[in-house]
Amino acid sequence: MADWPVVLAPVDPDSEDRLFFTEHEWDTIDAATARIIPTDHHPGAREARAVRFIDRYLSGIGHVYAAADGSGFLGMSGKLADAWRGRIADLGETYRQGVRDLDANAHRRFGADFVSLCDEDQDAVLEQMSGAPKPAPVALTSDGGNPTIQVYAFDDGLDFFDALVTHTRQGFYGDPVYGGNHDRAGWTVIGFPGPESLKDTMDGTYSVREYYVQDYDWRDLIPHLRGEGGS
């Protein structure tokens, strides 16, 4: 990718322009993401602008690969570009149909579009669409360990609900260069300082060295140095 041209500027962190969604689709997806990662005493998906991340991702192949220095987005060509166009087109139709399905289910149960429903009724519609009960809030486990949240996943072939959950997580926790995680909201929630920009990860400005254990005995890490596990 080092030779790929930069063809688009970085996403404007304050832009609310729609590149893919209609106004109604944008508002509906924004409402749905806000129920997947709700706002409580911390910001949720709405504050992180997860809908903007999804909108940019679905708008074509221009917002797929950010340049390593954060200067913009890389242009693809050839078979790779063709493959991504097909993939994004399929996802776009999945979302458009998903919005139609959300509204149809909302009307059948509550007599209004999804975006007009209260939080509890929106949850009921999403539960019906997911085929599973609403999950409990994510919290530390009883033994003090952290829960596992899958953020990055292949979205090929996902149905609407699973794609929405995957992309909401990406828009909340991913690098702000892609249009989500506005004001680093997702990183703030989990206590991750993160780089100021992608460029900081390339020139050494940003480092996670301080989080590594500095003093250790190799014998604690490699069993055979302790005489365990054979030669």
Side-chain angles (χ1 to χ4, degrees), residues 123-135 161-162:
D123 287 349
V125 172
L126 289 171
E127 281 187 73
Q128 181 181 29
M129 181 167 282
S130 71
K134 178 183 175 181
F161 183 81
D162 289 336

Side-chain angles (χ1 to χ4, degrees), residues 167-200:
H167 296 149
T168 298
R169 290 171 176 168
Q170 291 173 344
F172 189 71
Y173 294 111
D175 193 287
V177 72
Y178 290 96
N181 196 2
H182 182 67
D183 284 341
R184 302 149 69 89
W187 290 352
T188 300
V189 168
I190 61 175
F192 175 58
E196 289 297 326
S197 70
L198 281 181
K199 180 178 181 294
D200 291 350

Side-chain angles (χ1 to χ4, degrees), residues 42 45 67 85 92 109 121 133 157 186 196 202 211 217:
H42 291 301
R85 286 190 188 97
R109 297 192 63 175
D121 291 347
E196 289 297 326
M202 300 297 294
Y211 301 104
D217 189 323

Side-chain angles (χ1 to χ4, degrees), residues 13-223:
D14 298 316
S15 173
E16 299 299 326
D17 292 341
R18 302 183 304 275
L19 302 188
F20 174 78
F21 290 130
T22 65
E23 182 178 1
H24 178 69
E25 289 169 341
W26 177 288
D27 292 344
T28 302
I29 296 301
D30 186 38
T33 64
R35 300 312 307 149
I36 293 170
I37 303 181
T39 304
D40 48 25
H41 56 287
H42 291 301
R46 175 164 281 150
E47 289 76 20
R49 307 291 199 274
V51 65
R52 182 173 57 206
F53 162 78
I54 299 171
D55 177 78
R56 298 312 189 255
Y57 181 50
L58 298 178
S59 66
I61 64 173
H63 291 92
V64 174
Y65 291 113
D69 62 0
S71 61
F73 287 87
L74 302 176
M76 288 183 278
S77 60
K79 293 182 179 179
L80 180 63
D82 292 339
W84 268 102
R85 286 190 188 97
R87 180 182 183 183
I88 295 297
D90 289 344
L91 280 170
E93 181 51 39
T94 294
Y95 267 88
R96 293 207 192 282
Q97 184 60 51
V99 171
R100 292 192 288 268
D101 291 343
L102 279 176
D103 282 340
N105 291 339
H107 273 276
R108 278 194 296 269
R109 297 192 63 175
F110 303 107
D113 285 346
F114 178 85
V115 73
S116 300
L117 303 181
C118 66
D119 292 348
E120 291 76 13
D121 291 347
Q122 287 180 347
D123 287 349
V125 172
L126 289 171
E127 281 187 73
Q128 181 181 29
M129 181 167 282
S130 71
K134 178 183 175 181
V138 173
L140 293 177
T141 57
S142 58
D143 63 0
N146 289 306
T148 299
I149 300 175
Q150 185 175 5
V151 176
Y152 293 101
F154 291 109
D155 51 21
D156 290 331
L158 292 182
D159 62 22
F160 168 68
F161 183 81
D162 289 336
L164 178 66
V165 170
T166 295
H167 296 149
T168 298
R169 290 171 176 168
Q170 291 173 344
F172 189 71
Y173 294 111
D175 193 287
V177 72
Y178 290 96
N181 196 2
H182 182 67
D183 284 341
R184 302 149 69 89
W187 290 352
T188 300
V189 168
I190 61 175
F192 175 58
E196 289 297 326
S197 70
L198 281 181
K199 180 178 181 294
D200 291 350
T201 68
M202 300 297 294
D203 62 13
T205 300
Y206 178 76
S207 172
V208 295
R209 181 178 178 81
E210 64 182 291
Y211 301 104
Y212 284 80
V213 175
Q214 301 296 326
D215 298 316
Y216 53 84
D217 189 323
W218 280 106
R219 289 172 295 185
D220 294 333
L221 304 178
I222 304 176

